[in-house]
Amino acid sequence: MDTILFAMKIAPSILDADFSQLGAELDSISSADRIHLDVMDGQYVPNISIGVGVLKKVEFPKEIEVHLMTLNPENFIDDFVALGAKTITFHIEATGINRAVSLLKSIKAKGIRAGVTIDGYTDPDWLTDEILGLADQVLVMSVKSGFGGQSFMAASLLKVEDLRARGYKGEIEIDGGITLENIKEASDAGVDIAVVGSFLMKKVSSERAAVIAGMQGV
Ligand code: DX5
Ligand code: ZN
């Protein structure tokens, strides 16, 4: 059988899931590659979302990655490592460059993947060569972080191309407004992992596996 070399990894965001039946919602997306947890603190972004306390008893069908949209990401690392996170990414706008360097080192020292995120309007120059040398993953937001269901910012793909042109070999993830219409462009620009929120979770649960398969195959 041929090996598919450039398949896109799909990481559904459960922000738009029906939390009154979270187990069934997770079952419906179990063919995804990762489950994306959006953690908002009401400070870095205006919203508050989910924290580790309410997730402790949840059984996730795939590895989890945590997207910290918080002012002090350092405060949340140990709890999410204990929850089983395989990747944690935080916003460089919240930490600045020096703290980002230390935090990437300390997340990696826990034996998990360390990611750094740039928000929709942030210049990729924030991602210094030192930071790119440390980050296992860069999350390029394609909306202003804080809410699901926003429109995709096409300019984010220029940032992805810029990172690849600079020689970044780690994983690049895109998050915000991803649909079946724009995911191929993201793949062509150099994205490896796409977060998909409202586009997927607004489908009836019986249709989600087919949507995920279509996105993985771009
Ligand atoms: C936004 C979050 C995203 C978002 C994705 O701040 O980081 O993960 O919920 O949802 P859609 O795909 O609806 O933009
Ligand atoms: Zn996210």
Side-chain angles (χ1 to χ4, degrees), residues 13-16 36-38 40 45 67 69 91 139 141 143-151 175-178 195-200:
S13 162
I14 59 169
L15 208 52
D16 275 322
H36 182 88
L37 302 181
D38 286 307
M40 305 181 184
V45 289
H67 175 192
M69 286 164 272
H91 276 260
L139 170 50
M141 296 293 301
V143 293
K144 181 162 171 32
S145 62
F147 301 90
Q150 303 179 73
S151 299
D175 183 1
I178 293 294
V195 178
V196 192
S198 54
F199 180 77
L200 181 64

Side-chain angles (χ1 to χ4, degrees), residues 68-136:
L68 293 175
M69 286 164 272
T70 67
L71 269 195
N72 290 299
E74 292 89 345
N75 295 351
F76 304 102
I77 305 300
D78 284 342
D79 280 351
F80 279 105
V81 170
L83 188 75
K86 294 282 185 275
T87 309
I88 298 180
T89 188
F90 62 89
H91 276 260
I92 197 162
E93 302 87 349
T95 61
I97 290 171
N98 292 341
R99 262 170 75 199
V101 167
S102 314
L103 188 50
L104 286 167
K105 288 180 182 164
S106 70
I107 295 171
K108 285 160 77 93
K110 313 266 177 203
I112 66 164
R113 299 165 47 74
V116 63
T117 304
I118 52 168
D119 218 317
Y121 293 101
T122 300
D123 194 309
D125 286 352
W126 278 72
L127 301 169
T128 62
D129 289 344
E130 184 178 21
I131 285 174
L132 293 183
L134 287 165
D136 298 302

